[in-house]
């Protein structure tokens, strides 16, 4: 936990000074999401959460900074786990929308109060109903930063006491065989 906090603060510092290097490479997003699930499996099991995973059977190649994207996905998953009560549900869905992929993480957690939703991506902001949970308020700020630096966007929907859905959209590498298709 301390190492994650230190890394988040270092990333925040690099972000403020424009020194976060983005090293793009071709990544199979299906395998990266499976890796994110494996990274968080112990926490999911410890809270007896029901995880539903909907991934395409085909590989989907996107061009991103694998480390930064994994950090963003881990942060989204960490929030879903942290804010979902024992026995709750989390669903991870990957949609291939031809020109972009859509990664959706939905939970049955505490949700975000409507009054706090406009500030959820602000640095150090913590929703009122999340104050008794451990955290720094840096995670979603970094997720948004990484999403934008990778050419994507992050959106969410949430209802207090009903849960949250975060939707990360990223561009896909065009298939050379399909370049003439418009």
């Amino acid at each position: 936990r301390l190492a994650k906090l230190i890394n988040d603060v270092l990333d925040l510092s690099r972000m403020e000074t424009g020194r976060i290097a983005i090293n793009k490479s071709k990544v199979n997003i299906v395998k990266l999401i499976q890796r994110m699930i494996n990274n968080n499996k112990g926490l999911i099991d410890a809270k007896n959460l029901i995880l539903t995973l909907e991934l395409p059977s085909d590989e989907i190649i996107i061009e991103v900074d694998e480390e930064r994207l994994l950090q963003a996905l881990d942060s989204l998953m960490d929030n879903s786990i942290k804010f979902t009560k024992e026995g709750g549900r989390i669903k991870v869905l990957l949609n291939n929308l031809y020109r972009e992929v859509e990664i959706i993480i939905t939970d049955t957690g505490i949700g975000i109060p409507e009054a706090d939703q406009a500030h959820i991506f602000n640095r150090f902001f913590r929703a009122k109903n999340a104050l008794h949970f451990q955290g720094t308020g840096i995670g979603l700020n970094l997720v948004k930063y990484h999403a934008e630096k990778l050419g994507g966007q992050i959106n969410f929907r949430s209802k207090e006491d009903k849960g949250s859905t975060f939707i990360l959209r990223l561009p896909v590498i065009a298939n050379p065989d399909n370049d003439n298709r418009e």
Side-chain angles (χ1 to χ4, degrees):
R1 197 175 285 153
L2 184 57
K4 182 183 178 341
L5 173 62
I6 290 168
N7 286 332
D8 284 350
V9 171
L10 287 172
D11 276 348
L12 184 61
S13 174
R14 288 183 198 112
M15 189 172 75
E16 287 178 341
T17 60
R19 293 183 319 181
I20 288 185
I22 301 295
N23 302 309
K24 289 187 176 182
S25 62
K26 292 180 181 179
V27 175
N28 180 345
I29 187 65
V30 175
K31 287 189 177 180
L32 189 66
I33 289 174
Q34 290 168 333
R35 198 167 131 207
M36 179 264 302
I37 295 298
N38 289 338
N39 290 350
N40 292 282
K41 190 75 170 118
L43 296 172
I44 292 167
D45 292 344
K47 286 186 80 175
N48 295 313
L49 299 174
I50 299 164
L51 175 67
T52 305
L53 190 57
E54 291 185 21
L55 302 176
S57 55
D58 297 337
E59 70 177 26
I60 301 170
I61 304 298
I62 63 175
E63 191 166 359
V64 293
D65 183 319
E66 184 173 4
E67 181 182 332
R68 299 291 173 209
L69 179 54
L70 183 59
Q71 181 184 16
L73 292 173
D74 275 338
S75 185
L76 291 173
M77 181 58 76
D78 182 64
N79 281 352
S80 285
I81 295 165
K82 182 183 343 180
F83 298 120
T84 299
K85 293 176 183 153
E86 188 161 336
R89 295 183 313 277
I90 296 175
K91 182 176 184 176
V92 178
L93 174 66
L94 174 63
N95 290 320
N96 185 355
L97 305 175
Y98 179 61
R99 294 186 186 270
E100 63 186 5
V101 292
E102 181 179 66
I103 304 159
I104 303 170
I105 300 177
T106 299
D107 63 56
T108 58
I110 64 171
I112 303 163
E114 194 170 327
D116 291 340
Q117 290 185 12
H119 309 286
I120 204 66
F121 292 111
N122 293 352
R123 185 173 306 143
F124 302 116
F125 179 80
R126 300 187 63 210
K128 289 179 189 100
N129 63 346
L131 293 177
H132 66 278
F133 290 88
Q134 290 186 344
T136 60
I138 298 173
L140 288 177
N141 182 256
L142 287 172
V143 168
K144 183 175 183 191
Y145 178 84
H146 292 324
E148 290 172 353
K149 285 294 183 188
L150 297 173
Q153 61 183 9
I154 180 82
N155 294 301
F156 75 97
R157 294 185 303 268
S158 187
K159 200 166 190 112
E160 193 170 9
D161 298 322
K162 300 291 183 190
S164 299
T165 297
F166 283 83
I167 304 151
L168 175 61
R169 288 184 170 204
L170 296 166
V172 173
I173 296 174
N175 182 341
D177 298 335
N178 294 332
D179 281 347
N180 296 326
R181 202 169 37 157
E182 284 293 323

